[in-house]
Amino acid sequence: MARVLIVDDEFGIAELLDAVLSDDGHAVATAANGRQGLARVAADPPDLIFLDFMMPVMDGPAMLAALAGDPGTRGIPVVLMSSMPEETVRERAGGHAAFLRKPFRLKQVRDLVGALAPRDE
């Protein structure tokens, strides 16, 4: 199964995603902001990242730019999450593999993991 990192300052969303993906057999780590997220990536690179757009300390676009600027992390697919329209988010951030509009359905999350995370052979 996949190693998934959830970076979101909304505890309820991070906890929900952690519970659902862990129940599906994935190894899940969480972080409350982009700075913590980058530290988690450095310690144990994930196969997929769910990244909130608006957070304190370091927001999603800043973390996305840091990941893209590092050859060791630029290949990790990132799902950017926001309650704002996708067009608004695309004006400030690019390079993400997918966009997930909040509130979301759990099926959407599972479908994204299935499409973007590497499969065990």
Side-chain angles (χ1 to χ4, degrees):
M1 297 314 262
R3 291 183 327 265
V4 181
L5 174 62
I6 300 158
V7 185
D8 198 319
D9 63 320
E10 293 181 56
F11 179 74
I13 289 177
E15 186 177 58
L16 173 66
L17 290 173
D18 186 348
V20 168
L21 296 177
S22 293
D23 284 350
D24 289 349
H26 301 290
V28 180
T30 61
N33 59 59
R35 188 178 299 155
Q36 286 181 1
L38 289 175
R40 297 262 196 288
V41 169
D44 185 21
D47 299 312
L48 176 63
I49 299 171
F50 282 86
L51 178 62
D52 188 27
F53 183 76
M54 291 177 52
M55 294 178 291
V57 183
M58 177 185 273
D59 65 8
M63 181 174 171
L64 200 54
L67 292 168
D70 182 338
T73 59
R74 73 171 51 126
I76 300 170
V78 175
V79 176
L80 198 57
M81 305 182 294
S82 180
S83 59
M84 294 189 294
E86 185 172 4
E87 303 76 42
T88 304
V89 170
R90 284 198 187 279
E91 291 172 4
R92 286 204 36 224
H96 48 284
F99 176 78
L100 183 61
R101 178 88 185 258
K102 293 177 179 180
F104 50 80
R105 298 188 186 281
L106 294 178
K107 181 182 181 332
Q108 293 173 287
V109 172
R110 288 182 167 122
D111 289 348
L112 285 167
V113 172
L116 298 173
R119 291 167 179 71
D120 294 333
E121 297 297 324

